[in-house]
């Protein structure tokens, strides 16, 4: 396995380790200037380096945008341009989609951003591990915990690198030396490196979080299962699938999925301390357990959510935040772009004759029914450019799959016309009424608020209610429901469809589905469909699709994207559909190939080199 050393200065605080020509001055190790010799001299400094890892890691699960605080790669990781999500706010809508794969090159910005973000996280982890060896610890258990956290973050970064880019340069040590001759390891070696880190992290982490937001065994075991699954796909090693199942077993045993209503908006729950209700009843009588999973005060294990493995912990209010004080995992990049949706020519004439506005949400809303106007119908997160595809909104809930708590109007709402002068007032908006049908998607209640319960209205004055994010809402990194789907996939790959059906249908039973999928209908496409139902907006969809193939083949991903991406499926009448190109991995970014000029990093198949 090719291990190389990372140039920390290129991705961290380069100025913190600036060289100086005055050897005598450096020998004095002044406390006001941090150099390698004095950057770490106490435990708190190591923890500060680990907090940098937490911050970067969490940001990669928060959608990027003007005010969301997410990493620039996060929206792409979640599937922007894949089969579940896409850019729906471009002009015109279909040609602005990220799923126009023929326009992708090795210079595509999302590839470069993702590569840099993952290596930056690995660099932060390497720095924390370096620091842990420089400090005299008060006890070895604290050092072991620090190392376990750092190893988790590095292992996760390389898992994502292996899934998305295949074999990459493996960097396991901290150095300030400049290098232009990195070599690629194989994809299997990259998975194995991730597995080693995640295994060591899982062994040393506590069973449950020491503090909300901190790592524990569950999330390490979850990604360890995913890494073994990827390794098995790449190498056809059946024992890797069994190891994936064993890792998942331990997670699911410690974190059983929630099957009964619970928490802040359930009848037996209570109002969380410090959460305003704004006169809205706390209890949602027609709620269900899937709804409860995502409510304020319900996401952490400490709050009674046993399936919670890791959560992005968000501050509730910050007077210095540029978005009027609210920190949100969604930013302003989520939800259909209701602001820009307008009637088609026929409906425009019909609505204008009635004195209505140019679109379903533009004018004449009743502030009692829709406080704040159109943003309120999407939980005040409707100013974005990303929307769900027809595949994740409609196709996966077709026919016998329709009766499902995850498909009901509580959890995935169909937006209605709020212009009171429209002849279609309060009717569900139909795509054929709109000038750009592909822009319309349903409102996922994971990010769209059901009502004003939990909003801090007192701090909305800076930008007004329409611009207020939902107050204090955390965001899942991983849940054990996803671990069950990883285990189900491993069972399928071992040929045990009966066991796979048990896991899939346990999740479907929790969602009160009327149709349980029989063993004879279980396949890998079943997994992708069920992940779309259960994990829409949560999972990192591109890594899921990219790891579906190994040894240079990925027919499953190619078929999925050719059939169900927005550009191919939602926009057929405009684009005529498209054939998915031959690549099965993201390319090594063009800028990386340029900078590494002393060794040729062989490009992934299906991508042409750029001059």
């Amino acid at each position: 396995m090719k291990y190389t050393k990372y140039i920390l200065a290129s991705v961290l605080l380069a100025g913190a380790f600036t060289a100086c020509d005055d050897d005598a001055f450096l020998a004095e190790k002044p406390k006001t200037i941090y150099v390698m010799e004095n950057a770490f001299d106490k435990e708190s400094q190591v923890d500060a380096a680990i907090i940098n890892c937490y911050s970067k890691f969490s940001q990669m699960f928060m959608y990027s945008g003007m005010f969301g605080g997410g990493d620039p790669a996060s929206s792409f990781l979640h599937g922007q341009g894949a089969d579940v999500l896409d850019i729906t706010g471009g002009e015109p809508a279909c040609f602005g989609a990220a799923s126009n794969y023929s326009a992708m090159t090795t210079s595509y910005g999302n590839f470069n951003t993702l590569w840099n973000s993952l290596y930056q996280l690995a660099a932060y982890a390497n720095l924390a591990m370096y620091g842990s060896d420089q400090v005299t610890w008060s006890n070895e258990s604290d050092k072991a915990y620090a190392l376990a956290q750092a190893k988790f973050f590095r292992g996760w970064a390389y898992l994502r690198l292996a899934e998305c880019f295949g074999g990459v340069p493996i960097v396991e040590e901290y150095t300030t030396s400049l290098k232009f001759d990195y070599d690629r390891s194989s994809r299997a070696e990259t998975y194995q490196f991730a597995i080693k880190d995640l295994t060591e992290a899982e062994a040393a982490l506590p069973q449950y979080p020491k503090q909300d937001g901190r790592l524990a065994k569950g999330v390490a075991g979850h990604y360890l299962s995913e890494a073994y699954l990827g390794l098995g796909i790449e190498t056809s090693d059946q024992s890797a699938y069994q190891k994936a199942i064993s890792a998942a077993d331990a997670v699911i045993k410690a974190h059983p999925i929630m099957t009964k209503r619970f928490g802040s908006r359930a009848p037996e729950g209570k109002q969380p301390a410090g959460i305003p209700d704004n006169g809205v009843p706390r209890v949602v009588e027609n709620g269900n357990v899937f709804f409860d999973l995502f409510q304020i005060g319900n996401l952490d294990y400490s709050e009674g959510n046993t399936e919670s493995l890791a959560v992005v912990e968000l501050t509730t209010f910050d007077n210095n935040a540029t978005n009027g004080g609210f920190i949100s995992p969604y930013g302003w990049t989520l939800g259909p772009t209701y602001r820009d949706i307008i009637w088609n020519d026929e409906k425009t004439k019909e609505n204008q004759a009635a004195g209505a506005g140019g679109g379903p949400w533009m004018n004449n809303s009743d502030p009692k029914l829709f406080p704040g106007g159109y943003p309120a119908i999407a939980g005040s997160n409707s100013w974005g450019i990303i929307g769900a595809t027809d595949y994740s909104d409609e196709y996966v809930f077709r026919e016998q799959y329709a009766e499902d708590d995850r498909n009901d109007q509580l959890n995935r709402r169909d937006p209605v016309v709020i212009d009171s002068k429209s002849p279609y007032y309060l009717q569900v908006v139909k795509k054929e009424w709109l000038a750009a049908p592909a822009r319309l998607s349903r409102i996922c209640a994971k990010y769209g608020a059901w009502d004003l319960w939990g909003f801090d209205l007192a701090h909305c004055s800076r930008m007004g209610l329409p611009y207020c994010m939902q107050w204090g809402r955390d965001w899942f990194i991983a849940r054990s429901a996803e671990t069950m789907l990883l285990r189900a996939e491993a069972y399928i790959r071992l040929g045990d469809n009966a066991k796979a059906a048990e896991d899939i249908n346990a999740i479907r039973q929790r969602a009160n589905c009327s149709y349980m999928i029989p063993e004879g209908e279980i396949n890998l496409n079943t997994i992708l469909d069920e992940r779309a139902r259960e994990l829409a907006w949560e999972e990192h969809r591109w890594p899921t699709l990219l790891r579906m193939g190994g040894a240079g083949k990925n027919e499953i991903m190619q078929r999925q994207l050719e059939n169900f991406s927005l550009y191919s499926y939602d926009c057929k009448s405009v684009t005529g559909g498209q054939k998915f190109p031959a690549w099965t991995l993201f390319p090594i970014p063009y800028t990386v190939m340029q900078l590494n000029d002393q060794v040729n990093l062989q490009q992934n198949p299906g991508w042409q080199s750029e001059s």
Side-chain angles (χ1 to χ4, degrees), residues 159 161-168 184-192 195 226-238 240-241 489 493 546-554 584-585 604-605:
L159 167 61
L161 284 164
E163 289 172 325
C164 294
F165 297 98
V168 299
R184 292 185 67 174
S185 297
S186 70
R187 193 183 197 188
E189 288 172 335
T190 308
Y191 275 129
Q192 288 163 347
I195 286 168
E226 185 173 328
Y228 272 123
L229 191 54
L231 180 63
I233 296 168
E234 179 65 17
T235 64
S236 301
D237 182 356
Q238 300 290 288
Y241 298 138
E489 183 180 340
R493 293 183 183 279
L546 288 159
R547 70 162 171 77
M548 280 286 170
K553 296 180 180 180
N554 200 338
T584 60
L585 290 167
N604 287 327

Side-chain angles (χ1 to χ4, degrees), residues 114-159:
L114 178 58
W115 176 281
N116 288 341
S117 290
L118 291 170
Y119 270 107
Q120 187 176 55
L121 176 58
Y124 287 154
N126 279 336
L127 179 63
M129 283 185 265
Y130 166 82
S132 69
D133 287 334
Q134 311 307 308
V135 170
T136 300
W137 293 84
S138 56
N139 61 73
E140 285 300 310
S141 62
D142 288 343
K143 180 179 181 180
Y145 181 50
L147 284 171
Q149 293 171 91
K151 286 182 178 180
F152 169 85
F153 291 121
R154 189 175 68 178
W156 182 87
Y158 279 99
L159 167 61

Side-chain angles (χ1 to χ4, degrees), residues 3-234:
Y3 289 150
T4 55
K5 296 184 177 182
Y6 189 61
I7 311 165
L8 183 72
S10 67
V11 293
L12 290 179
L13 303 176
F17 299 102
T18 302
C20 180
D21 292 332
D22 190 339
D23 293 338
F25 177 72
L26 281 182
E28 294 174 8
K29 299 181 182 178
K31 297 299 183 181
T32 56
I33 297 177
Y34 286 100
V35 293
M36 286 182 62
E37 289 79 3
N38 68 356
F40 295 97
D41 61 8
K42 51 188 175 181
E43 297 173 21
S44 61
Q45 291 172 317
V46 178
D47 196 55
I50 291 171
I51 293 301
N52 276 340
C53 296
Y54 276 102
S55 177
K56 186 67 177 178
F57 177 65
S58 295
Q59 287 169 8
M60 296 182 80
F61 286 87
M62 297 165 63
Y63 284 82
S64 58
M66 291 168 61
F67 305 131
D71 186 87
S74 59
S75 298
F76 186 52
L77 271 172
H78 279 94
Q80 177 182 301
D83 56 345
V84 292
L85 306 172
D86 210 330
I87 297 172
T88 57
E91 286 289 350
C94 293
F95 289 103
S99 52
N100 182 3
Y101 306 119
S102 61
M104 288 183 177
T105 69
T106 62
S107 295
Y108 183 47
N110 280 323
F111 298 147
N112 190 65
T113 299
L114 178 58
W115 176 281
N116 288 341
S117 290
L118 291 170
Y119 270 107
Q120 187 176 55
L121 176 58
Y124 287 154
N126 279 336
L127 179 63
M129 283 185 265
Y130 166 82
S132 69
D133 287 334
Q134 311 307 308
V135 170
T136 300
W137 293 84
S138 56
N139 61 73
E140 285 300 310
S141 62
D142 288 343
K143 180 179 181 180
Y145 181 50
L147 284 171
Q149 293 171 91
K151 286 182 178 180
F152 169 85
F153 291 121
R154 189 175 68 178
W156 182 87
Y158 279 99
L159 167 61
R160 285 288 183 260
L161 284 164
E163 289 172 325
C164 294
F165 297 98
V168 299
I170 293 176
V171 184
E172 64 169 349
E173 294 181 4
Y174 158 77
T175 181
T176 55
S177 301
L178 196 60
K179 284 176 59 70
F180 302 99
D181 58 350
Y182 292 106
D183 286 324
R184 292 185 67 174
S185 297
S186 70
R187 193 183 197 188
E189 288 172 335
T190 308
Y191 275 129
Q192 288 163 347
F193 185 76
I195 286 168
K196 181 177 183 295
D197 271 354
L198 291 168
T199 299
E200 292 176 5
E202 195 271 345
L205 288 169
Q207 184 64 258
Y208 301 108
K210 290 184 175 181
Q211 166 188 351
D212 289 345
R214 289 279 185 170
L215 298 171
K217 286 185 183 297
V219 68
H222 172 88
Y223 288 113
L224 181 59
S225 177
E226 185 173 328
Y228 272 123
L229 191 54
L231 180 63
I233 296 168
E234 179 65 17

Side-chain angles (χ1 to χ4, degrees), residues 274-429:
I275 301 294
D277 61 21
N278 301 310
V280 176
R282 178 189 66 79
V283 175
V284 177
E285 296 289 352
N286 64 332
N288 51 57
V289 66
F290 193 75
F291 172 81
D292 288 337
L293 284 171
F294 302 93
Q295 300 311 301
I296 293 174
N298 287 3
L299 275 73
D300 284 304
Y301 183 86
S302 66
E303 295 168 330
N305 189 336
T306 59
E307 76 180 76
S308 176
L309 302 180
V311 173
V312 178
E313 305 289 335
L314 295 170
T315 55
T316 54
F317 183 78
D318 177 0
N319 281 309
N320 295 316
T322 56
N323 59 330
F326 289 87
I327 308 300
S328 167
Y330 332 107
W332 281 3
T333 65
L334 286 187
T337 51
Y338 295 124
R339 174 187 58 190
D340 302 321
I341 288 178
I342 59 175
W343 302 114
N344 61 25
D345 290 343
E346 177 187 346
K347 297 302 178 189
T348 294
K349 294 176 182 177
E350 193 174 347
N351 278 275
Q352 284 180 344
W361 305 285
M362 288 187 175
N363 303 91
N364 311 308
S365 64
D366 183 341
K368 293 182 180 179
L369 287 178
F370 303 102
Y374 65 86
I377 67 175
S380 293
N381 287 292
S382 65
W383 288 79
I385 61 172
I386 301 176
T389 62
D390 286 350
Y391 165 75
S392 60
D393 259 354
E394 301 169 9
Y395 178 85
V396 295
F397 294 112
R398 70 197 183 280
E399 300 170 349
Q400 70 266 35
Y401 294 97
E403 190 172 336
D404 184 325
D405 283 350
R406 300 165 298 188
N407 187 42
D408 67 24
Q409 290 298 307
L410 185 69
N411 290 314
R412 197 178 285 254
R413 300 195 296 279
D414 294 303
V416 300
V417 178
I418 70 172
D419 189 329
S420 60
K421 293 186 178 181
S422 171
Y424 303 99
Y425 183 47
L426 299 183
Q427 293 185 38
V428 173
V429 178

Side-chain angles (χ1 to χ4, degrees), residues 227-286:
Y228 272 123
L229 191 54
L231 180 63
I233 296 168
E234 179 65 17
T235 64
S236 301
D237 182 356
Q238 300 290 288
S239 68
Y241 298 138
Q242 191 56 60
K243 290 175 182 177
I245 291 168
S246 296
D249 285 344
V251 176
I252 295 163
K253 181 179 180 180
H255 293 269
I257 63 171
M258 301 296 293
T259 56
K260 296 180 180 179
R261 292 208 64 190
F262 73 102
S264 59
R265 307 213 69 178
E268 62 273 21
K270 62 181 181 180
Q271 185 87 7
I275 301 294
D277 61 21
N278 301 310
V280 176
R282 178 189 66 79
V283 175
V284 177
E285 296 289 352
N286 64 332

Side-chain angles (χ1 to χ4, degrees), residues 245 249 484 487-492 495-506 519 522:
I245 291 168
D249 285 344
M484 292 183 74
R487 186 170 70 177
E489 183 180 340
Y491 279 131
I492 291 172
D496 193 343
N497 282 14
K499 283 287 189 180
E502 288 180 16
D503 277 342
I504 294 169
N505 287 327
E519 176 185 342
I522 297 291

